Amino acid sequence: MDTCYVLILIDWKRLAGEDFAITTNVYVLSRIDLNTVDKIEIVRGPASAMYGSDALGGVINIITKKSEKASTAIGMGASNMEQDMHFRFNSGRQGKFKLIVGGRISEVREQHSALNQSTNMYGPRRHLDLSLDYALGKDRGLTLDLNFMREQFAEIYDNVPSVSLNQREWFDNNRAAYSLTYYGKDKVNDYQLRTYYNILKKESRKVNYTAGYNGWADFDHMRYDNFVVEGKNSAKLSDKHTLTYGGEYRDIGARSTRIGAGGDNISLDNFNGLSKPISEKRLKTYGAYVQDEWQVNAKLFVLSS
């Protein structure tokens, strides 16, 4: 299936995403700091019963590092495509607290096409991540996660008739994510209650050099946000049965010049002498699920939901 039917999560959390099916998931992986990744889990095939229609093609869950051991890492790298510097500090469990702070500064290098004078999207990308965990007791606690990302890219179109002539486009993309999780487990149950909010702001502007440096050709302003409250529990009923159940509330919104006048709260957006209609759309959803995992024998596993 197309990429828009694959759901990409970070620590089982959704991200505020792109607005077109052809751009959904195209940029999200490059916006992840690989130094924070511990492992990646893949659910193949339809998983819409638990995750909705955007998971018809499967789920990719990127799990970040949450080690209890203290560590510090500083590094840098360079190639013909990109150069970067990064750091990561993990305090380890200090009494009831654990703090993880990490960051990365990357520079995507300018690359010119061999066929014409167009380039890739190039420029700086920055990441900053913070995670604070507080233990409420044995196997119970609260985790606060804060994540920030900013891209300031440019792209040149010269002698590309199918796109445009003698134009340069700038992109300023900002993403912020906030999450608070209560978790716990005992001999039977492994549960959590979580609320999180993330937002992606995108601005683009284009100059037409054939009209002079101040000949602004186009612009777009976009804002996508995602607010979620969810809870789930996995109960180990026996050696062969695990029952997982939970529920979710989502409030998803977009306000964009790309929607034009096709949404609600229509107004006129202005930039350097240009004007475009801008409007918004919101979608609220509720969901609940129950899933049973049955290990019939060593060769047969049944999953029902």
Side-chain angles (χ1 to χ4, degrees):
M1 304 186 75
D2 291 340
T3 181
C4 61
Y5 293 107
V6 176
L7 179 61
I8 298 178
L9 307 171
I10 298 181
D11 294 323
W12 295 110
K13 292 178 287 189
R14 297 173 181 266
L15 299 174
E18 304 289 336
D19 52 350
F20 287 124
I22 59 174
T23 58
T24 301
N25 295 334
V26 172
Y27 303 109
V28 64
L29 294 179
S30 63
R31 292 172 178 162
I32 296 172
D33 183 1
L34 292 179
N35 294 293
T36 68
V37 177
D38 181 36
K39 60 182 178 179
I40 298 174
E41 295 180 343
I42 297 176
V43 179
R44 300 181 184 276
S48 56
M50 290 181 65
Y51 301 105
S53 60
D54 47 354
L56 287 173
V59 179
I60 299 173
N61 180 37
I62 299 170
I63 301 174
T64 59
K65 298 174 182 176
K66 303 291 185 183
S67 174
E68 295 291 308
K69 296 181 180 180
S71 63
T72 301
I74 300 175
M76 62 183 301
S79 71
N80 64 332
M81 299 293 292
E82 185 176 329
Q83 61 184 6
D84 73 89
M85 298 180 62
H86 57 269
F87 76 94
R88 186 171 180 82
F89 168 76
N90 186 339
S91 70
R93 183 66 63 179
Q94 305 294 327
K96 293 185 176 182
F97 290 92
K98 181 182 70 173
L99 173 66
I100 301 176
V101 181
R104 182 188 184 105
I105 300 176
S106 303
E107 180 76 24
V108 179
R109 299 181 188 272
E110 181 179 349
Q111 303 283 328
H112 287 265
S113 169
L115 299 178
N116 48 57
Q117 299 302 311
S118 65
T119 70
N120 61 323
M121 295 173 62
Y122 65 92
R125 178 188 289 124
R126 307 175 189 90
H127 292 89
L128 179 62
D129 305 287
L130 183 146
S131 179
L132 179 63
D133 185 272
Y134 178 74
L136 297 173
K138 184 179 179 181
D139 297 324
R140 291 188 302 116
L142 285 172
T143 301
L144 174 67
D145 291 308
L146 308 175
N147 310 97
F148 306 94
M149 185 279 304
R150 185 177 186 183
E151 296 173 327
Q152 292 174 295
F153 285 171
E155 188 173 14
I156 298 173
Y157 309 106
D158 281 345
N159 303 318
V160 190
S162 62
V163 181
S164 56
L165 294 174
N166 302 316
Q167 291 186 348
R168 172 172 290 188
E169 191 166 6
W170 288 270
F171 307 89
D172 193 347
N173 305 322
N174 293 269
R175 186 180 69 199
Y178 314 90
S179 171
L180 181 63
T181 305
Y182 169 72
Y183 64 89
K185 64 180 180 179
D186 52 35
K187 294 181 179 179
V188 176
N189 301 290
D190 186 350
Y191 54 88
Q192 74 170 24
L193 178 64
R194 175 164 61 192
T195 181
Y196 62 90
Y197 174 79
N198 58 74
I199 181 171
L200 174 64
K201 295 180 180 179
K202 301 180 61 181
E203 296 184 2
S204 66
R205 55 194 187 276
K206 185 182 294 184
V207 164
N208 186 342
Y209 282 99
T210 58
Y213 187 79
N214 292 320
W216 294 100
D218 197 9
F219 76 96
D220 274 306
H221 293 155
M222 297 151 277
R223 171 191 170 116
Y224 313 99
D225 63 271
N226 189 4
F227 173 71
V228 179
V229 178
E230 61 182 7
K232 72 173 183 177
N233 181 46
S234 292
K236 190 72 173 178
L237 303 181
S238 67
D239 293 338
K240 294 186 176 182
H241 278 278
T242 299
L243 184 68
T244 300
Y245 54 90
E248 176 188 70
Y249 164 76
R250 278 193 287 157
D251 184 355
I252 306 169
R255 182 169 181 81
S256 171
T257 53
R258 292 184 177 178
I259 300 176
D264 305 319
N265 298 321
I266 304 169
S267 62
L268 200 61
D269 200 359
N270 301 292
F271 174 78
N272 276 19
L274 300 177
S275 297
K276 298 178 74 171
I278 185 171
S279 61
E280 64 183 56
K281 279 292 186 180
R282 302 207 67 86
L283 175 66
K284 297 181 181 181
T285 64
Y286 306 83
Y289 60 88
V290 177
Q291 175 177 284
D292 180 54
E293 302 174 25
W294 178 22
Q295 189 70 54
V296 181
N297 52 49
K299 294 185 178 181
L300 181 60
F301 175 78
V302 178
L303 179 66
S304 58
S305 58

